[in-house]
Each structure stands twice: as C-alpha cells, then as structure tokens.
Amino acid sequence: MVAGWFTDTEDEEGFRLLGTRCGACSAVFFPREDSLCRNPACAGDALTEVPLSKRGRVWSYTDGRYRPPAPYVSDPEAPWEPYTLLAVELEAERMVVLGQAAPGVTVADLSVGVEVEVVPGILSEDTGTSWTTWHWRPVEEER
Amino acid sequence: MNEVAVLGAGMHPWGKWGRSFIGYGTAAAGAALADAGIDWPDVRSVVGAGTLRCGYPGHVAGAAFAQALGWQGARVTSVYAACASGAQAIDTARAQILAGIAEVVLVVGADSAPKGFFAPAGGDRPDDPDWLRFRLLGATNPAYFALYARRRMALHGDTTDDFARVKVKNAAAGALNPYARYRTAVSAGQVAASPVVADPLRLLDVCATSDGGAALVLSSMEYARRHGAGDPVRIRAVSTVTPVYPASGPGLPDIATDSAVAVDPPAPGFRESIARAAYEEAALGPEDLSLAEVYDLSTAMELQWYEDLGLCRPGEGAGLLRAGATALGGRIPVNTSGGLASFGEAVPAQAIAQVCELTWQLRGTAGARQVPGARAGMTANQGLFGHGSAVVAVR
C-alpha cells in the first residue's frame, strides 16, 4: 500500500526508510516525492531514491490510549493495547519523521532527545497477509 | 483602510443536537440577519463554509444554505478548508465587498459532527496523506496535539498543571456564554481525574466534537452608513497565509516535515507568520489587542498561540497564563467565549464563531464575560495541511 517507503528486508541492520532526493537542489522528501521538487526556488524534476538515516533523536512522543478509527486496522474484539507514537529528528536530513514505536516501548521508556533507530515491524495481519511497516526503537547503549 | 462592516452576528447553540447541519446554519443565519436588521432577499451574496461530514450537500454548503433559506437569486460560493473554512469564507466575502461585487454578504458555517475521533472519508486511498496517517500510524488529531504538548514540556518546562489551568480558565468563561455546549466550571482536579487520551493530554485537555452553527452579515462601510450603522464593528484584516518551504514541525496530517537540507527554515515560523500577516494588514500590534480568540484544540495549543500571536515571548506562554493575564479580568483575555474547550468542534462554524465573539465584545454586549472597553480583537486558527488564518476586528 506504500510501495517504496522502506527497504524490503527482514534484516534489522539493513532496514532503512526510503525517500527521494532532488538532483538539482539536494532537497530530501519522505514520504517519497517522485514527480516534482517541492522547493519553490527549484525547478528540478529528477528525483532519485535515497535511504534515510537509520538513527535519529526523539523530537517528541505520545501514545494512543483509545482505539483509532478506520482505516487503522485493529481487532474490535480484542482489548485495546495502547501503542506509542514517536516523532524523530534525523540530523543529516534535517527533518522529523513520525512512526510507531516497536512493540513493548512505552512513553515511560522515552524522553525528548533520546537516540532511536528504525527497524522493520508488523502493522497488522489478516488472512494470509502480514502488513509490514517501520518502527522506532531506542538504541541499546553500546558497552 | 480596506475595512468591511460586521452588521450582524448569530449562532445556534452548540452541543450534540442530532440534527442536520442545514438546520444549525439557517438558525444562525436567521439570527445574524435579525441582528443586522436585514431581510434575507436583500443579501446579494452567500458564502457557505463547507463540511465533509454531512454527505454531498456539505460540499456545496453555500447553495445548500441558500436553498434552505429560500432561493432569491444571490451570488453563491462554497469554501472548504477544514478548520480554516470559516476564516476563508469570511475572506471570500470581504474580497467580494472590497471588489464591489456585492454590498451585503451572508457568511454561514455549520456542522453536525460524528461522535469520537475525527476520521478520514472511507475507501482505500493511499494517495491521501490524511488516510495514510490513520492507516499507517493510527495518528488521531489528539496524537498530534500531544506531540506538541510533550515538546513544550521538554523545551519550556510547561507542566500538565499548566495545561489544566487553561481548561479551568476557558470553562469559567464558557460558563458565562449561552451559546457554549459546556457551561459549568471545571476544576484542575477534574482535569487530572479525566482519562489520558494521548499522553500527556487527558480527555479534558482535548476539545470535543460538536454540532453548531455560526453566521455573519458583512457589508461595505458605505452600505453600513446608509443602513444607519454609523459605527459598526469592522473587520480590518484577514490573514490566510500558507507556510514557507521548508515547513518545520510535524503538522496534521503529515507523516514527516519538509527537510531543511536544501533551504534553511524561514524565520519567523509558520504559525507566527499567520498573526504577523494580520497585524501588518491591520496596522496594529499585539499591544493593541483587547482580547483574542484562538483554537484551543488542546489546552497546550492555547499556550503556543500566546507566543505565536506575540502576547508574550517564545516559551513564556505558561507564565502569562499563571499570571492571570489571559483570564477574564486579565491584561489580554484569551478565549472569552470559552473557546473550543467549552464549544467543541463544529469545524466549518468555529472560525466564524470566533468573529461573532469579537463582534459582541467590541459592541460591549458580551454580558457577564465582557472585556471592559474592548477596542480590538484577533482570532487565530489552523487548518488541515498546514494553512492558517487570523481575523482582526476593531471598533
């Protein structure tokens, strides 16, 4: 449903969000912009795919204590499990990208400025199909 | 000055009444026409603020209202701009008057909102960012409000107690407003006891969805004089600016901000530029305001507006609130109507309702919530996809 937004890999290390970059002014776009550079001072129309930084810092965060309406997919029979939502600042791209946190990460685990990384995750599963997405997960301290 | 007169203002009380938006709109229109002392057939242009929530007629609100009031041949326009619909409808009416296209224009907005979270229209529409943010992130409107609230806490030291103070203040004002949906005082303890919707915001930090309607009769200054209204409330500025690339800060319904890799973010930022454009057009500044009506979609968002409107410096919104400056009786009362905290959202009506409140305040007819000697007021709001509006009215 969002073809080309992230790499098609199960491998956590190699997983990346995919944006596009304008050949004329270097502006980066996520979600990908494939037709026209949105920098008003640029007439560029040659945009190429570019992987975004794997790591960024938390710009802000929240959670969803109530079931969101459709088209969010959730089982109405199952008790609602809050998910955590992150806004993450990518230094190299100078942009903020939203995404759900990996399962198990709660607002209590987070604070503004904490380093997180993008990992593959499951958005929802229906008969025979598993819809993949991206998740943000706090970076384990390297010892 | 390119001013237009506010001859009439009217509302239908807000709440969950379970009726069609047409009924709320025509009731508000009737009240505004009676207030103006103008007969419906004398209106030469109708501008309807549209809604997507009532099916097909909502998309062509101008004609839907004109038909319900009785076809009388007026020019008609429909405007849809989500939360900024009402402000863009006012802007359209004003432009027609200043261009000499119509002397008297009726502006109407009304909605009957569904219960619970706002959601995009149905169907699979992966080319629609509003659909995508729900489908991929489950990111409701309160989720975005909460990201900004948490960011304020981290950057400026705002607390959830500060957010609760906004609700307490607005509920106290709303208790004095017969058009408000909620007309009872709320305590900080009640806010703290309400369930968390999106951390750190609780149910009483987030505005409800509502039914309601609001209308204005606007005219040329020359028409107002002929009509016997020598000193009407005047609209002196309407700002409907868009952001300047790269827009920073994650706004509804976007999944990411613009990248600032190619161009540095503009200064001032977008929300501040909304007010700045209105101040420039009105040739006045924040120190000249007697009151302001701002979109308190969440309590935390009201504090942000204080700073964006220049009522205080960046980061000092909570301090201004704590000092009592923005309460009734304070130096610069904000949301004297009770705000969305007391009204709830009836999307196409609320920016018009803000100007109704300015009108009554500037006339000195706001009753128990009157700001003594009010001379100038400003409204501010922001609509989906990052456009915003502000209206300046004076007496």
Side-chain angles (χ1 to χ4, degrees):
Chain A
M1 115 190 50
V2 290
W5 281 28
F6 44 81
T7 52
D8 183 17
T9 169
E10 304 282 303
D11 160 39
E12 282 194 1
E13 189 54 40
F15 185 82
R16 292 286 190 285
L17 289 173
L18 296 174
T20 54
R21 182 186 294 275
C22 172
C25 76
S26 300
V28 178
F29 297 98
F30 180 83
R32 56 187 306 136
E33 175 62 68
D34 284 296
S35 50
L36 199 64
C37 178
R38 293 206 305 266
N39 175 357
C42 177
D45 59 2
L47 295 123
T48 52
E49 187 171 283
V50 59
L52 302 188
S53 300
K54 185 163 181 66
R55 291 185 176 185
R57 293 195 179 275
V58 172
W59 186 89
S60 191
Y61 56 97
T62 183
D63 59 9
R65 301 286 180 97
Y66 292 86
R67 195 187 303 277
Y72 192 72
V73 178
S74 68
D75 176 4
E77 303 300 317
W80 174 243
E81 289 290 336
Y83 62 86
T84 302
L85 186 69
L86 295 181
V88 176
E89 197 162 17
L90 305 179
E91 190 179 5
E93 291 81 4
R94 298 185 68 192
M95 70 196 301
V96 174
V97 179
L98 305 191
Q100 289 191 353
V105 176
T106 73
V107 291
D109 304 320
L110 297 166
S111 56
V112 170
V114 156
E115 190 170 31
V116 293
E117 62 185 356
V118 71
V119 292
I122 304 293
L123 179 66
S124 62
E125 289 172 307
D126 51 33
T127 12
T129 317
S130 181
W131 299 96
T132 54
T133 188
W134 71 96
H135 282 154
W136 294 110
R137 187 180 66 191
V139 173
E140 301 286 335
E141 287 204 25
E142 281 133 329
R143 296 165 212 275
Chain B
M1 288 273 179
N2 281 330
E3 294 181 331
V4 300
V6 182
L7 288 188
M11 278 195 215
H12 183 286
W14 294 35
K16 283 278 169 98
W17 304 99
R19 299 205 290 272
S20 157
F21 82 103
I22 298 279
Y24 306 130
T26 52
L33 288 165
D35 184 44
I38 291 206
D39 294 328
W40 160 234
D42 295 334
V43 170
R44 296 327 299 151
S45 174
V46 181
V47 184
T51 174
L52 292 178
R53 288 179 223 299
C54 291
Y56 188 62
H59 293 257
V60 283
F65 292 131
Q67 182 190 41
L69 290 164
W71 295 125
Q72 43 84 323
R75 173 186 293 267
V76 68
T77 310
S78 297
V79 172
Y80 179 75
C83 277
S85 300
Q88 292 193 13
I90 291 167
D91 189 48
T92 301
R94 183 182 74 134
Q96 291 182 350
I97 292 166
L98 294 179
I101 292 170
E103 279 202 302
V104 188
V105 185
L106 174 69
V107 180
V108 193
D111 206 357
S112 51
K115 192 173 160 51
F117 292 120
F118 283 141
D124 276 0
R125 290 174 296 105
D127 58 346
D128 172 0
D130 197 39
W131 186 88
L132 281 170
R133 56 129 168 173
F134 279 96
R135 179 71 181 85
L136 293 176
L137 304 176
T140 59
N141 291 12
Y144 284 83
F145 309 155
L147 290 175
Y148 275 94
R150 173 62 62 186
R151 179 85 179 160
R152 286 193 63 84
M153 293 171 78
L155 252 56
H156 305 314
D158 290 9
T159 66
T160 51
D161 288 348
D162 291 324
F163 301 156
R165 274 189 194 95
V166 175
K167 177 68 177 189
V168 171
K169 173 185 76 70
N170 289 353
L176 305 173
N177 190 341
Y179 294 105
R181 174 179 179 183
Y182 302 105
R183 277 174 277 165
T184 51
V186 171
S187 70
Q190 284 172 296
V191 180
S194 66
V196 174
V197 174
D199 179 276
L201 297 177
R202 294 178 179 275
L203 190 61
L204 294 186
D205 285 303
V206 180
C207 81
T209 59
S210 261
D211 296 1
L216 294 166
V217 177
L218 305 181
S219 80
S220 67
M221 292 303 294
E222 160 59 19
Y223 183 96
R225 270 189 292 276
R226 284 206 317 270
H227 189 67
D231 181 27
V233 169
R234 285 125 46 209
I235 291 180
R236 187 177 275 183
V238 182
S239 153
T240 61
V241 296
T242 51
V244 172
Y245 179 88
S248 55
L252 279 150
D254 294 328
I255 285 173
T257 62
D258 288 336
S259 159
V261 133
V263 186
D264 282 327
F270 169 55
R271 283 168 50 100
E272 200 183 335
S273 76
I274 297 169
R276 188 171 285 209
Y279 285 133
E280 278 177 16
E281 189 171 276
L284 50 71
E287 66 283 355
D288 300 312
L289 297 182
S290 313
L291 74 152
E293 286 282 305
V294 304
Y295 265 23
D296 55 328
L297 295 163
S298 84
T299 50
M301 196 171 285
E302 178 169 318
L303 301 179
Q304 189 77 45
W305 281 120
Y306 296 171
E307 299 161 19
D308 294 326
L309 263 51
L311 306 182
C312 62
R313 282 183 294 195
E316 294 180 354
L320 193 71
L321 172 79
R322 287 180 209 138
T326 57
L328 285 174
R331 176 171 66 76
I332 172 70
V334 175
N335 283 333
T336 59
S337 68
L340 296 176
S342 303
F343 275 72
E345 279 202 90
V347 170
Q350 54 215 38
I352 300 171
Q354 290 181 314
V355 178
C356 288
E357 176 67 9
L358 291 192
T359 302
W360 295 324
Q361 289 284 354
L362 294 169
R363 285 177 180 172
T365 59
R369 61 183 197 285
Q370 180 65 44
V371 176
R375 301 298 299 174
M378 180 183 243
T379 71
N381 64 68
Q382 198 171 345
L384 204 67
F385 293 101
H387 56 110
S389 313
V391 177
V392 175
V394 298
R395 185 73 188 270

